[in-house]
Amino acid sequence: MDWLGNVVFKDQEIENERLELTDKNANYILGPNLRLKNCTLVLKVASRRLSIDRAQFVDCTFEVKQELKNYQDWIGASLKGCRFKGRLTGCDFGHWPEYSSQPWCQLGSIEDCDFTEARLDGCRIMGCDPATLRFPKWPCFTILDPIGRASELRSVEWPGRFGSVVVDELHTQPPRTTALTEHALTIAKQLDANPEKLRAVIEKFDCILY
């Protein structure tokens, strides 16, 4: 449905389809009451032009062709058995009802999803079990239970400003944060943290996947 520049998918089930969300002048709205199964979604729009509102995705593949930045609408989605490809920065997934009182973020969830072909930078899993997820390998790395392990992680010296900017602030993450994934090469540029020295410290902790 195309209405005033909005492309709306709602109140329906779609299976085994390829949806290309690539028109830079369109606003794509997924939901409410949308269920997609075994679909491929090609995303090539800015985050402000993509809205997810109480949509279910089962065994779907997301091909992110344009970096998706600071996108929280994933918490308005139920994601099960999905695969992500491409660059995602500052995105949150899972269950985080405190984020907003609006209905769209009350039913979010994520399980059995695969990020191994994605590049995650500053992305968080909220209110869900990260043990069911597959995270990208180095140069990405994932801190499990960042709030609970914050004190332990602060006990060592980190290269550059990674310790003061990221590690020292882990305890201030939202209470539902169960995992935090960073990108070492981005950290190297932004926080003057040598990737090899960073990895040497990461290897000391069993709560960090890399």
Side-chain angles (χ1 to χ4, degrees), residues 40-197:
T40 296
L41 292 91
V42 180
L43 308 180
K44 195 176 181 181
V45 291
S47 58
R48 68 181 183 278
R49 293 195 174 275
L50 178 63
S51 174
I52 299 176
D53 179 359
R54 289 162 289 172
Q56 277 188 303
F57 302 92
V58 180
D59 298 329
C60 291
T61 297
F62 295 90
E63 297 182 359
V64 182
K65 300 295 187 180
Q66 173 181 318
E67 183 177 7
L68 200 60
K69 295 182 178 180
N70 301 321
Y71 190 68
Q72 274 65 56
D73 277 21
W74 292 117
I75 61 175
S78 171
L79 300 158
K80 182 175 176 61
C82 295
R83 179 185 297 257
F84 290 82
K85 304 178 181 181
R87 300 170 62 184
L88 299 110
T89 299
C91 296
D92 294 320
F93 302 83
H95 186 60
W96 191 9
E98 297 84 2
Y99 180 78
S100 170
S101 61
Q102 295 298 315
W104 67 270
C105 77
Q106 304 304 305
L107 300 176
S109 64
I110 185 169
E111 61 179 312
D112 300 326
C113 289
D114 186 344
F115 291 97
T116 56
E117 294 182 69
R119 196 208 77 172
L120 303 183
D121 179 23
C123 294
R124 299 180 295 196
I125 303 299
M126 312 298 292
C128 295
D129 184 2
T132 73
L133 310 177
R134 297 180 64 196
F135 292 98
K137 301 295 186 181
W138 186 262
C140 291
F141 61 95
T142 300
I143 303 173
L144 303 176
D145 187 20
I147 299 172
R149 305 299 285 266
S151 178
E152 179 184 350
L153 293 168
R154 287 196 300 267
S155 69
V156 300
E157 184 176 348
W158 294 86
R161 292 182 290 119
F162 182 73
S164 60
V165 173
V166 178
V167 178
D168 287 354
E169 299 300 320
L170 288 176
H171 67 285
T172 67
Q173 292 284 345
R176 288 188 185 269
T177 307
T178 58
L180 168 65
T181 302
E182 300 281 7
H183 182 244
L185 302 184
T186 300
I187 288 170
K189 294 178 181 178
Q190 296 179 346
L191 303 178
D192 303 317
N194 178 277
E196 288 73 23
K197 292 181 179 179

Side-chain angles (χ1 to χ4, degrees), residues 8-43:
V8 183
F9 298 89
K10 67 175 183 177
D11 301 321
Q12 61 181 310
E13 293 193 12
I14 303 174
E15 191 167 351
N16 301 317
E17 295 286 346
R18 181 180 177 90
L19 306 179
E20 300 207 5
L21 283 55
T22 58
D23 184 344
K24 297 186 182 302
N25 296 314
N27 295 310
Y28 292 97
I29 303 171
L30 306 179
N33 305 317
L34 174 68
R35 186 175 189 269
L36 276 67
K37 183 176 182 181
N38 198 32
C39 291
T40 296
L41 292 91
V42 180
L43 308 180

